[in-house]
Amino acid sequence: MSVAVFLTPQHPDGVEVDPTRPQLLVTDQAATRGDGVFETLLFRHGRIREEEAHLRRLAGSALALDLELPEASHWRAAMQLALGRFHEGAGEGAEASIRLTASRGVPSEGGTFWVLVSGVSRSAATSHGPEDGLRVVLLDRGYDAAAADRAPWLLAGAKTLSYAINMAAQRWAQAHDADDAIFVTSDGRVLEGPTSSVLIARRTDAGVTLLTPELETGILAGTTQAAAFEVAGEAGWSLGYGPLTPADLLAADGVWLVSSVRLAAAVTSIDGVSVPCDPELHRVLVEGLDAAL
Ligand code: PLP
């Protein structure tokens, strides 16, 4: 079941609409150009996870696209309205994904803004154990590590509605005996998954280090990656940012794809080569993320 709420000038805090009926005009630039931004949040264990971080990132993405957004307080109110209606139907506390979408709207009529709350199936929400993790392929993103800096119009690091490339990468992976993909720059830097951030852990005599690629390459600043860094920090692990190469992934003691709804999924092979995932490190990450605010 899903609940949809639009934020309109008449109803800035949201008004429920029927998600099974058409609600967007065919001229809306979300549909005609993929011109807009979005966020996906998780409601789990009775709360919206990382709400402020998601609202901040939505604002940052909108700024990059020069898109005017409703105030954060209106998004919060609309989320509460949608969640309330969702829980009336799905049961108190039921787990849900909350998608916030901001489109440039119909030309010269201002933006279109809505919240969509949908149930999350257990298998999608539950982290894979190291034993049932993901086979991934490395895919060339087609630009080098400095492109984000050189070409801001690429909107690297903004969470735009233009996800056709990301979906194509996942289809490519699935057509090539894999479950998901990790993008790599043309000059060999690890970036991110099509819908996830990449984490790797290294264990040495000196302790455990958790690493993620550097944001300057134009990857999305992941809210789950940030939460994982907090978890790891509390566990006494060292933290660091790339540059990371494919060789770093293959030599790691654990590689994970992390994102808001999926949380942490261990990677078990890369381009057909098995990679280990230390079960103890996996447990710390998965349990910590599950408990994290
Ligand atoms: N990178 C990309 C391209 C994504 O689409 C996502 C999430 O959908 C992420 C990273 C992970 O972000 P978060 O942990 O905030 O969900």
Side-chain angles (χ1 to χ4, degrees):
M1 121 176 240
S2 295
V3 173
V5 164
F6 270 69
L7 291 77
T8 68
Q10 295 76 29
H11 300 282
D13 287 341
V15 58
E16 191 179 0
V17 298
D18 182 350
T20 66
R21 304 296 309 153
Q23 301 294 346
L24 282 184
L25 292 174
V26 292
T27 46
D28 194 290
Q29 290 169 95
T32 58
R33 297 195 192 278
D35 194 355
V37 297
F38 77 104
E39 281 294 323
T40 306
L41 301 80
L42 180 65
F43 177 92
R44 183 170 162 97
H45 300 328
R47 60 176 186 264
I48 302 173
R49 298 168 60 99
E50 305 293 341
E51 183 177 359
E52 290 315 307
H54 282 284
L55 286 172
R56 252 197 323 277
R57 193 170 64 188
L58 185 72
S61 298
L63 191 66
L65 271 70
D66 213 4
L67 198 67
E68 217 170 297
L69 279 188
E71 296 281 328
S73 60
H74 295 313
W75 286 108
R76 277 193 218 102
M79 280 192 272
Q80 287 307 327
L81 172 62
L83 274 173
R85 302 291 291 174
F86 175 79
H87 286 133
E88 280 170 23
E92 202 51 44
E95 197 160 330
S97 73
I98 307 166
R99 192 177 156 111
L100 315 182
T101 306
S103 156
R104 199 173 302 281
V106 172
S108 63
E109 287 193 14
T112 318
F113 310 105
W114 71 95
V115 173
L116 179 67
V117 171
S118 308
V120 169
S121 74
R122 243 324 102 197
S123 60
T126 307
S127 298
H128 298 255
E131 64 293 336
D132 64 349
L134 302 173
R135 300 161 302 159
V136 305
V137 285
L138 301 180
L139 299 183
D140 186 346
R141 188 64 182 79
Y143 52 66
D144 62 72
D149 222 23
R150 204 171 58 235
W153 50 87
L154 291 180
L155 299 175
K159 197 165 167 68
T160 78
L161 293 176
S162 310
Y163 258 48
I165 288 172
N166 306 47
M167 298 299 97
Q170 286 189 328
R171 282 196 303 278
W172 179 280
Q174 281 150 21
H176 292 81
D177 211 21
D179 305 302
D180 210 333
I182 293 178
F183 286 128
V184 179
T185 63
S186 53
D187 50 348
R189 299 263 192 91
V190 174
L191 291 170
E192 61 190 341
T195 61
S196 58
S197 306
V198 175
L199 293 177
I200 76 168
R202 287 183 190 143
R203 195 197 265 285
T204 64
D205 291 344
V208 179
T209 305
L210 189 67
L211 296 155
T212 198
E214 69 283 22
L215 287 179
E216 292 73 19
T217 49
I219 56 174
L220 203 64
T223 61
T224 317
Q225 171 268 313
F229 267 36
E230 278 186 32
V231 167
E234 277 162 28
W237 301 1
S238 307
L239 307 171
Y241 290 87
L244 299 179
T245 65
D248 293 321
L249 301 185
L250 292 168
D253 296 296
V255 179
W256 295 269
L257 295 186
V258 300
S259 60
S260 295
V261 175
R262 184 160 54 177
L263 299 176
V267 171
T268 50
S269 78
I270 296 175
D271 286 342
V273 178
S274 291
V275 290
C277 183
D278 184 315
E280 171 62 12
L281 303 184
H282 183 73
R283 189 189 60 73
V284 170
L285 260 190
V286 167
E287 290 183 5
L289 276 179
D290 195 41
L293 275 172

